């Protein structure tokens, strides 16, 4: 007797309507933020490569903050450790939501994007390590090319006018969420040196109070914002990167909906804070981190020095090979079937787009080569070059299939009965077919009425003749 086999899972299949709505809202904000990020990067490069470059350095290195609390930091430092804590706070909420209500909730469904993200980080690190081992460079920057910048990737999509189907966009977003998780672990484990146990203990106590207040249902920004600032300050002084405080608080928020709730507290707060993160925190970080001197010789050096070449190859080659290879192998061995409307070339294009590593790559570059300002700037230039090359390659690959994507998006958005729910989600609902039949009958009746009016008018005109 032949054993029954479980049906193969669908990879990049249609999202559920709530998930599609959430992804669309999140990506809409990230796209706007990505355009602002792109503009901030261009502004930083212009500012740093014109006669005003001295003022750029003066502003970036200007110190402010209470020295008594150990927070007398430069503007550049505030942007990296302070503003990015907001970015990682949102990343923490995203991760929590994915774990309790999104694609990562189901271990079988989560396996593919998680493996793709892990391979998409491991292969770039391996490419960097091999490049520097063969070239005699430093291995300190192995983590720089491992990150994907979802906002920058979406900005590229917005600029080139490519409409990705929701399943591909959700896959890219899930990749970025898992990517952020591992980036957080890398920062916490590999870029923490001297630990101040007293400050760390204070931060942990603050987080415990934060968690307890949430569980008690205490509300009010005037309670949580001051507490969050205290936790952040203690975390910074502990020697652990301060952005970890943002992640920890994000993970504590409840992201599942209770009966009668339209949105969970985590979703509500994410909706409020995401524009601040995407529209202010990340662009300001880019403004004070991406301002590197760019010249013909400097760009040439990117391809000759092993550290910088490793970053470029890691982003352009390592990311594409890692994400695509991890996806294909997982689908192959779990018998997951690709959505019949898409092809593996589409996965390859998204994998190439994942090579745009900007915000977190710049942050890790600063941490990896702290104390060597010249090499830090060269690494930043390499991140910019690698991201631009990845964006150009992804643009070419996506443009080839853009007509197909546009057709798929039109099908996803079609709402003939104008009830606010795309028709594709109602095709199996008998009530939907009844509504559509009524709509078509009304249209047919209207056409018949117009034809009768036109016919009557014609007969009246012909009579006197």
């Amino acid at each position: 007797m032949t054993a029954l086999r479980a049906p193969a899972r669908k990879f990049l299949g249609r999202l559920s309507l709530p998930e599609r709505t959430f992804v669309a809202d999140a990506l809409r904000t990230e796209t706007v933020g990505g355009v602002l990020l792109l503009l901030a990067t261009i502004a930083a490069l212009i500012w740093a490569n014109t006669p005003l470059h001295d003022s750029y350095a003066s502003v970036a290195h200007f110190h402010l903050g209470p020295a008594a609390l150990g927070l007398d930091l430069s503007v550049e430092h505030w942007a990296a450790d302070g503003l990015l804590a907001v970015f990682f706070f949102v990343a923490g909420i995203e991760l929590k939501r994915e774990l309790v209500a999104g694609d990562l909730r189901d271990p079988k469904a989560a396996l593919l994007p998680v493996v793709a993200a892990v391979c998409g980080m491991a292969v770039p690190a391996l490419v960097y390590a091999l490049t520097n081992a063969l070239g005699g460079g430093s291995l300190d920057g192995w983590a720089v090319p491992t990150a994907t910048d979802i906002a920058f990737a979406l900005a590229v999509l917005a600029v080139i006018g490519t409409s990705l189907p929701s399943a591909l966009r959700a896959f890219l977003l899930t990749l970025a969420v898992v990517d952020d998780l591992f980036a957080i672990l890398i920062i916490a484990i590999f870029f923490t040196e001297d630990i101040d146990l007293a400050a760390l203990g204070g931060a942990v106590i603050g987080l415990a109070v934060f968690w307890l207040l949430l569980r008690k249902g205490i509300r009010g920004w005037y309670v949580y914002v001051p507490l969050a600032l205290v936790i952040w300050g203690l975390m910074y002084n502990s020697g652990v990167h301060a952005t970890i405080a943002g992640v920890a608080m994000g993970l504590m928020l409840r992201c599942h909906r209770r009966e009668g709730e339209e949105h969970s507290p985590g979703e509500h707060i994410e909706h409020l804070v995401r524009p601040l993160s995407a529209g202010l925190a990340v662009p300001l970080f880019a403004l004070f981190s991406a301002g590197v001197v760019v010249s013909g010789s400097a760009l040439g050096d990117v391809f000759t020095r092993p550290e910088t070449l490793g970053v470029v190859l890691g982003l352009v080659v390592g990311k594409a090979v890692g994400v695509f290879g991890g996806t294909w192998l997982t689908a192959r061995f779990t018998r997951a079937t690709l959505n019949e409307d898409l092809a593996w070339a589409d996965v390859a294009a998204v994998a190439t787009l994942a090579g745009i590593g900007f915000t977190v790559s710049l942050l890790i570059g600063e941490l990896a080569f702290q104390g060597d300002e010249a090499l830090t700037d060269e690494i930043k230039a390499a991140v910019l070059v690698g991201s631009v090359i990845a964006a150009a390659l992804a643009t070419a690959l996506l443009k080839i299939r853009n007509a197909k994507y546009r057709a798929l998006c039109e099908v996803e958005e079609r709402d003939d009965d104008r009830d606010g729910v795309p028709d594709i989600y109602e095709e199996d609902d008998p009530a939907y077919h009844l509504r559509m039949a009524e709509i078509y009958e009304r249209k047919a009746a209207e056409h018949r009425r117009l034809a009768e009016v036109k016919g009557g008018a014609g007969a009246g005109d012909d009579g006197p003749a």
Side-chain angles (χ1 to χ4, degrees):
M1 190 173 176
T2 305
L4 293 176
R5 300 181 70 183
R9 290 184 302 104
K10 182 83 69 177
F11 168 50
L12 292 180
R14 187 196 311 166
L15 302 176
S16 66
L17 184 58
E19 188 67 12
R20 179 184 179 278
T21 303
F22 174 82
V23 168
D25 291 343
L27 294 182
R28 192 177 298 114
T29 305
E30 290 289 357
T31 300
V32 174
V35 173
L36 294 176
L37 175 61
L38 189 59
L39 293 174
T41 303
I42 294 171
L45 290 171
I46 293 173
W47 193 359
N49 288 275
T50 62
L52 297 173
H53 64 87
D54 288 338
S55 66
Y56 179 83
S58 298
V59 173
H61 297 145
F62 180 77
H63 279 245
L64 68 159
L69 298 177
L71 297 175
D72 181 20
L73 311 177
S74 67
V75 170
E76 182 180 11
H77 209 160
W78 274 111
D81 281 22
L83 291 177
L84 278 195
V86 179
F87 167 80
F88 279 104
F89 175 68
V90 173
I93 300 175
E94 285 179 338
L95 178 60
K96 178 68 172 290
R97 188 200 164 277
E98 286 289 328
L99 289 170
V100 301
D103 287 344
L104 302 182
R105 170 178 86 258
D106 178 5
K108 290 182 179 178
L111 181 64
L112 200 145
V114 169
V115 172
V118 171
C119 291
M121 300 186 79
V123 176
L126 181 61
V127 168
Y128 178 93
L130 287 174
T131 304
N132 281 269
L134 295 173
S138 169
L139 297 178
D140 291 345
W142 63 271
V144 175
T146 60
T148 293
D149 195 311
I150 181 68
F152 218 121
L154 292 171
V156 170
L157 292 177
V159 169
I160 66 177
T162 296
S163 300
L164 279 186
S166 58
L168 283 174
R169 287 176 176 263
F171 179 61
L172 184 61
L173 179 62
T174 305
L175 273 179
V177 170
V178 180
D179 199 273
D180 287 341
L181 168 63
F182 285 101
I184 292 160
L185 294 175
I186 287 171
I187 291 171
I189 295 170
F190 296 99
F191 297 104
T192 298
E193 296 177 356
D194 298 327
I195 299 291
D196 184 326
L197 293 178
L200 182 60
V204 171
I205 292 172
L207 288 170
V209 172
F210 189 89
W211 179 85
L212 188 60
L213 291 174
L214 288 173
R215 291 299 170 272
K216 293 292 184 182
I218 305 298
R219 299 191 176 192
W221 64 267
Y222 45 85
V223 173
Y224 291 101
V225 172
L227 178 59
L229 291 174
V230 171
I231 294 170
W232 176 87
L234 289 168
M235 190 69 76
Y236 174 82
N237 281 289
S238 74
V240 177
H241 200 271
T243 54
I244 303 300
V247 178
M249 287 183 278
L251 286 170
M252 289 181 182
L253 293 175
R254 177 170 62 81
C255 291
H256 63 274
R257 300 177 189 178
R258 291 175 179 166
E259 188 175 353
E261 285 185 339
E262 186 176 353
H263 302 288
S264 67
E267 290 173 323
H268 177 66
I269 293 172
E270 181 185 17
H271 179 73
L272 294 175
V273 179
R274 186 187 285 275
L276 175 64
S277 169
L280 181 66
V282 175
L284 281 178
F285 168 74
L287 181 64
F288 293 109
S289 292
V292 295
V293 177
V294 177
S295 64
S297 59
L299 292 177
D301 290 342
V302 166
F303 297 97
T304 57
R305 182 160 186 164
E307 291 89 350
T308 50
L309 179 61
V311 169
V312 173
L313 292 177
L315 289 172
V316 176
V317 179
K319 268 290 182 182
V321 172
V323 172
F324 181 82
T327 303
W328 186 86
L329 288 172
T330 307
R332 172 72 178 80
F333 289 106
T334 60
R335 298 193 313 110
T337 59
L338 185 65
N339 182 351
E340 58 272 11
D341 292 327
L342 299 172
W344 282 107
D346 302 314
V347 181
V350 172
T352 305
L353 192 66
I356 301 175
F358 191 75
T359 305
V360 179
S361 289
L362 290 177
L363 175 62
I364 293 177
E366 291 179 356
L367 296 173
F369 297 102
Q370 200 167 17
D372 191 337
E373 190 171 339
L375 183 53
T376 299
D377 284 346
E378 291 175 0
I379 291 294
K380 289 180 180 181
V383 170
L384 291 171
V385 170
S387 297
V388 168
I389 294 173
L393 291 174
T395 298
L397 294 172
L398 291 169
K399 280 296 185 183
I400 294 172
R401 298 268 292 170
N402 198 35
K404 177 69 173 178
Y405 297 152
R406 191 167 289 128
L408 290 174
C409 288
E410 288 175 0
V411 171
E412 289 181 358
E413 297 294 334
R414 196 182 75 240
D415 185 16
D416 290 341
D417 58 353
R418 298 183 181 180
D419 65 347
V421 178
D423 295 340
I424 197 171
Y425 288 94
E426 300 178 302
E427 290 176 348
D428 298 328
D429 181 3
Y432 163 75
H433 293 288
L434 181 60
R435 286 198 306 273
M436 294 306 297
E438 292 172 350
I439 290 171
Y440 290 139
E441 179 58 33
R442 284 199 302 270
K443 287 182 178 179
E446 182 67 17
H447 284 306
R448 288 195 298 269
R449 188 185 67 79
L450 290 173
E452 290 171 0
V453 170
K454 185 178 293 186
D461 291 340
D462 292 340

